[in-house]
Amino acid sequence: MGKIITLANQKGGVGKTTTTINLGASLATLEKKVLVIDADPQANASSGLGVDISKIECSIYECLINQAEIREAIYTTDIEHLDIIPSHIDLVGAEIEMLEFERREYVFKQLLETIKDEYDYILIDCSPSLGLITVNALTAADSVIIPVQCEYFALEGIGKLLSTIKLIKKKLNPTLEIEGFLLTMYDGRLRLANDVYKEMKRNFQELVFKTIIQRNVKLSEAPSHGLPAILYNAVSRGAKDHLSLAKEIIKKNS
């Protein structure tokens, strides 16, 4: 039985897409069958895994809006065991189109029911918003990873996200759990980064992943080459951190 994990935070620039790409690649390297779903109109997870967006005929948009068969939207990547359903700029208008749907919060859930058992992990990369597509992704998910960057406004907005998760648990998805808070862009030399870490541990204790994603040049460079860090530079700090995160998630779910 596959596990669906949504990566969400309405705050932009916290490392959601970087985490999705690299966690997916790391889980696949550890021989887990993984599907990444790019649910962000910017399609950065798609290009970051080497997908040429201009040549895509079927994306998550066609599945959500035109009821396209979901298997038609699955593309393989250069990493064995790692597939992706890419995004498209058309997804920008999808939320308005979905407003007229019956049971509009469950579209994602229904889509994934037919393929859930074919993967060990399905990772959904959301846009930085709490709109209908993010609500759909959280309704479809078994758990949510919340990336939090170790910077000044890090904790701002977490309360709003947690309220949304609580509401979704109550109304739409009673089994939704928090997989964990993931601290990203950590620089141990900065007092502020350490303060954010201590504050997160104080507030959320065991829900904070032991693995911390440190600031890393190779991690930033990799997407421009259409590669996850583990293929771009396997010995880089960024690649090692995400491999550690993948092992932590596997251990937690075994």
CSV table of all heavy atoms in Angstrom, one decimal, residues 219-250:
chain,number,residue,atom,x,y,z
A,219,LEU,N,23.2,22.0,-4.2
A,219,LEU,CA,21.7,21.8,-4.1
A,219,LEU,C,21.0,22.8,-4.9
A,219,LEU,O,20.0,22.6,-5.6
A,219,LEU,CB,21.3,21.8,-2.6
A,219,LEU,CG,19.9,21.3,-2.3
A,219,LEU,CD1,19.7,19.9,-2.7
A,219,LEU,CD2,19.7,21.4,-0.8
A,220,SER,N,21.5,24.1,-4.9
A,220,SER,CA,20.9,25.2,-5.6
A,220,SER,C,21.2,25.1,-7.1
A,220,SER,O,20.3,25.5,-7.9
A,220,SER,CB,21.5,26.5,-5.1
A,220,SER,OG,21.3,26.6,-3.7
A,221,GLU,N,22.3,24.6,-7.5
A,221,GLU,CA,22.7,24.5,-8.9
A,221,GLU,C,22.0,23.3,-9.6
A,221,GLU,O,21.7,23.5,-10.8
A,221,GLU,CB,24.2,24.2,-9.0
A,221,GLU,CG,25.1,25.4,-8.7
A,221,GLU,CD,26.6,25.0,-8.7
A,221,GLU,OE1,26.9,23.9,-8.9
A,221,GLU,OE2,27.4,25.9,-8.4
A,222,ALA,N,21.8,22.2,-8.9
A,222,ALA,CA,21.3,21.0,-9.6
A,222,ALA,C,20.0,21.2,-10.5
A,222,ALA,O,20.0,20.7,-11.6
A,222,ALA,CB,21.0,19.9,-8.5
A,223,PRO,N,19.0,21.9,-10.0
A,223,PRO,CA,17.8,22.0,-10.8
A,223,PRO,C,18.0,22.7,-12.2
A,223,PRO,O,17.3,22.3,-13.1
A,223,PRO,CB,16.8,22.9,-10.0
A,223,PRO,CG,17.3,22.8,-8.6
A,223,PRO,CD,18.8,22.6,-8.7
A,224,SER,N,18.9,23.6,-12.3
A,224,SER,CA,19.2,24.2,-13.6
A,224,SER,C,19.8,23.3,-14.6
A,224,SER,O,19.8,23.5,-15.8
A,224,SER,CB,20.2,25.4,-13.4
A,224,SER,OG,21.4,25.0,-12.9
A,225,HIS,N,20.3,22.1,-14.1
A,225,HIS,CA,20.7,21.1,-15.0
A,225,HIS,C,19.7,20.0,-15.2
A,225,HIS,O,20.0,18.9,-15.8
A,225,HIS,CB,22.0,20.4,-14.4
A,225,HIS,CG,23.2,21.4,-14.3
A,225,HIS,ND1,24.1,21.6,-15.3
A,225,HIS,CD2,23.5,22.3,-13.3
A,225,HIS,CE1,25.0,22.5,-15.0
A,225,HIS,NE2,24.6,23.0,-13.7
A,226,GLY,N,18.5,20.2,-14.6
A,226,GLY,CA,17.4,19.2,-14.7
A,226,GLY,C,17.7,17.9,-13.9
A,226,GLY,O,17.3,16.8,-14.3
A,227,LEU,N,18.5,18.0,-12.9
A,227,LEU,CA,18.9,16.9,-12.1
A,227,LEU,C,18.7,17.1,-10.6
A,227,LEU,O,18.9,18.2,-10.1
A,227,LEU,CB,20.4,16.6,-12.3
A,227,LEU,CG,20.9,16.2,-13.7
A,227,LEU,CD1,22.5,16.3,-13.7
A,227,LEU,CD2,20.4,14.8,-14.1
A,228,PRO,N,18.4,16.0,-9.9
A,228,PRO,CA,18.4,16.1,-8.4
A,228,PRO,C,19.9,16.1,-8.0
A,228,PRO,O,20.8,15.6,-8.7
A,228,PRO,CB,17.7,14.8,-8.0
A,228,PRO,CG,17.8,13.9,-9.1
A,228,PRO,CD,17.9,14.7,-10.4
A,229,ALA,N,20.1,16.5,-6.7
A,229,ALA,CA,21.5,16.6,-6.2
A,229,ALA,C,22.2,15.3,-6.2
A,229,ALA,O,23.4,15.3,-6.5
A,229,ALA,CB,21.5,17.2,-4.8
A,230,ILE,N,21.5,14.2,-6.0
A,230,ILE,CA,22.2,12.9,-5.9
A,230,ILE,C,22.8,12.5,-7.3
A,230,ILE,O,23.7,11.7,-7.3
A,230,ILE,CB,21.2,11.8,-5.4
A,230,ILE,CG1,22.0,10.7,-4.7
A,230,ILE,CG2,20.2,11.3,-6.4
A,230,ILE,CD1,21.1,9.9,-3.7
A,231,LEU,N,22.2,13.0,-8.4
A,231,LEU,CA,22.8,12.7,-9.7
A,231,LEU,C,23.8,13.8,-10.1
A,231,LEU,O,24.8,13.5,-10.8
A,231,LEU,CB,21.7,12.7,-10.8
A,231,LEU,CG,20.9,11.4,-10.9
A,231,LEU,CD1,20.1,11.4,-12.2
A,231,LEU,CD2,21.8,10.1,-10.9
A,232,TYR,N,23.6,15.0,-9.6
A,232,TYR,CA,24.4,16.2,-10.0
A,232,TYR,C,25.8,16.1,-9.2
A,232,TYR,O,26.8,16.3,-9.8
A,232,TYR,CB,23.7,17.5,-9.7
A,232,TYR,CG,24.5,18.7,-10.0
A,232,TYR,CD1,24.9,19.0,-11.3
A,232,TYR,CD2,24.9,19.6,-9.0
A,232,TYR,CE1,25.6,20.1,-11.6
A,232,TYR,CE2,25.6,20.8,-9.3
A,232,TYR,CZ,25.9,21.0,-10.6
A,232,TYR,OH,26.6,22.2,-10.9
A,233,ASN,N,25.7,15.8,-8.0
A,233,ASN,CA,26.9,15.7,-7.2
A,233,ASN,C,26.5,14.8,-5.9
A,233,ASN,O,26.1,15.4,-4.9
A,233,ASN,CB,27.4,17.0,-6.8
A,233,ASN,CG,28.8,16.9,-6.1
A,233,ASN,OD1,29.1,16.0,-5.3
A,233,ASN,ND2,29.7,17.9,-6.3
A,234,ALA,N,26.8,13.5,-6.0
A,234,ALA,CA,26.3,12.6,-5.0
A,234,ALA,C,27.0,12.8,-3.6
A,234,ALA,O,26.5,12.4,-2.6
A,234,ALA,CB,26.5,11.1,-5.5
A,235,VAL,N,28.2,13.4,-3.6
A,235,VAL,CA,28.9,13.6,-2.4
A,235,VAL,C,28.7,14.9,-1.7
A,235,VAL,O,29.2,15.3,-0.7
A,235,VAL,CB,30.4,13.3,-2.5
A,235,VAL,CG1,30.7,11.9,-3.0
A,235,VAL,CG2,31.0,14.3,-3.5
A,236,SER,N,27.8,15.7,-2.4
A,236,SER,CA,27.5,17.1,-1.8
A,236,SER,C,26.7,17.0,-0.6
A,236,SER,O,26.0,16.0,-0.3
A,236,SER,CB,26.8,17.9,-2.9
A,236,SER,OG,25.5,17.4,-3.1
A,237,ARG,N,26.8,18.0,0.3
A,237,ARG,CA,26.0,18.1,1.5
A,237,ARG,C,24.5,17.9,1.3
A,237,ARG,O,23.8,17.2,2.0
A,237,ARG,CB,26.3,19.4,2.2
A,237,ARG,CG,25.7,19.7,3.5
A,237,ARG,CD,26.4,19.0,4.6
A,237,ARG,NE,25.7,17.8,5.0
A,237,ARG,CZ,26.2,16.8,5.8
A,237,ARG,NH1,27.4,16.9,6.3
A,237,ARG,NH2,25.4,15.8,6.1
A,238,GLY,N,24.0,18.6,0.2
A,238,GLY,CA,22.6,18.6,-0.1
A,238,GLY,C,22.1,17.2,-0.5
A,238,GLY,O,21.0,16.7,0.0
A,239,ALA,N,22.9,16.4,-1.2
A,239,ALA,CA,22.6,15.0,-1.6
A,239,ALA,C,22.6,14.1,-0.3
A,239,ALA,O,21.6,13.4,-0.1
A,239,ALA,CB,23.6,14.5,-2.6
A,240,LYS,N,23.6,14.3,0.5
A,240,LYS,CA,23.6,13.5,1.7
A,240,LYS,C,22.5,13.8,2.7
A,240,LYS,O,21.9,12.9,3.3
A,240,LYS,CB,25.0,13.7,2.4
A,240,LYS,CG,26.2,13.1,1.7
A,240,LYS,CD,27.5,13.5,2.4
A,240,LYS,CE,28.7,12.8,1.7
A,240,LYS,NZ,29.9,13.3,2.3
A,241,ASP,N,22.1,15.1,2.8
A,241,ASP,CA,21.0,15.5,3.7
A,241,ASP,C,19.7,14.8,3.3
A,241,ASP,O,19.0,14.3,4.1
A,241,ASP,CB,20.9,17.0,3.8
A,241,ASP,CG,22.0,17.7,4.6
A,241,ASP,OD1,22.7,16.9,5.3
A,241,ASP,OD2,22.1,18.9,4.5
A,242,HIS,N,19.4,14.8,2.0
A,242,HIS,CA,18.2,14.3,1.5
A,242,HIS,C,18.2,12.8,1.6
A,242,HIS,O,17.1,12.2,1.8
A,242,HIS,CB,17.9,14.8,0.1
A,242,HIS,CG,17.4,16.2,0.1
A,242,HIS,ND1,18.2,17.3,-0.1
A,242,HIS,CD2,16.2,16.7,0.3
A,242,HIS,CE1,17.5,18.4,-0.1
A,242,HIS,NE2,16.3,18.1,0.2
A,243,LEU,N,19.3,12.2,1.4
A,243,LEU,CA,19.4,10.7,1.6
A,243,LEU,C,19.1,10.3,3.0
A,243,LEU,O,18.4,9.4,3.3
A,243,LEU,CB,20.8,10.2,1.2
A,243,LEU,CG,20.9,8.7,0.8
A,243,LEU,CD1,19.9,8.4,-0.3
A,243,LEU,CD2,22.3,8.4,0.3
A,244,SER,N,19.6,11.1,3.9
A,244,SER,CA,19.4,10.9,5.4
A,244,SER,C,17.9,11.1,5.7
A,244,SER,O,17.3,10.3,6.4
A,244,SER,CB,20.2,12.0,6.2
A,244,SER,OG,19.8,12.0,7.5
A,245,LEU,N,17.3,12.1,5.1
A,245,LEU,CA,15.8,12.3,5.3
A,245,LEU,C,15.0,11.1,4.7
A,245,LEU,O,14.1,10.7,5.4
A,245,LEU,CB,15.4,13.6,4.5
A,245,LEU,CG,13.9,13.9,4.5
A,245,LEU,CD1,13.4,14.2,5.9
A,245,LEU,CD2,13.6,15.1,3.6
A,246,ALA,N,15.4,10.6,3.6
A,246,ALA,CA,14.7,9.5,3.0
A,246,ALA,C,14.8,8.3,3.9
A,246,ALA,O,13.8,7.6,4.2
A,246,ALA,CB,15.3,9.1,1.6
A,247,LYS,N,16.0,8.0,4.5
A,247,LYS,CA,16.2,6.9,5.4
A,247,LYS,C,15.3,7.1,6.7
A,247,LYS,O,14.7,6.1,7.2
A,247,LYS,CB,17.6,6.8,5.8
A,247,LYS,CG,18.5,6.2,4.7
A,247,LYS,CD,20.0,6.2,5.0
A,247,LYS,CE,20.8,5.7,3.9
A,247,LYS,NZ,22.3,5.9,4.1
A,248,GLU,N,15.2,8.3,7.1
A,248,GLU,CA,14.4,8.6,8.3
A,248,GLU,C,12.9,8.4,8.1
A,248,GLU,O,12.3,7.8,8.9
A,248,GLU,CB,14.6,10.1,8.7
A,248,GLU,CG,14.1,10.4,10.1
A,248,GLU,CD,14.4,11.9,10.6
A,248,GLU,OE1,15.4,12.5,10.0
A,248,GLU,OE2,13.7,12.4,11.4
A,249,ILE,N,12.5,8.7,6.9
A,249,ILE,CA,11.1,8.5,6.5
A,249,ILE,C,10.8,7.0,6.4
A,249,ILE,O,9.7,6.5,6.9
A,249,ILE,CB,10.7,9.3,5.3
A,249,ILE,CG1,10.6,10.8,5.6
A,249,ILE,CG2,9.4,8.8,4.7
A,249,ILE,CD1,10.5,11.7,4.4
A,250,ILE,N,11.7,6.3,5.7
A,250,ILE,CA,11.5,4.8,5.5
A,250,ILE,C,11.4,4.1,6.9
A,250,ILE,O,10.6,3.3,7.2
A,250,ILE,CB,12.6,4.2,4.7
A,250,ILE,CG1,12.5,4.7,3.2
A,250,ILE,CG2,12.6,2.7,4.7
A,250,ILE,CD1,13.7,4.4,2.3
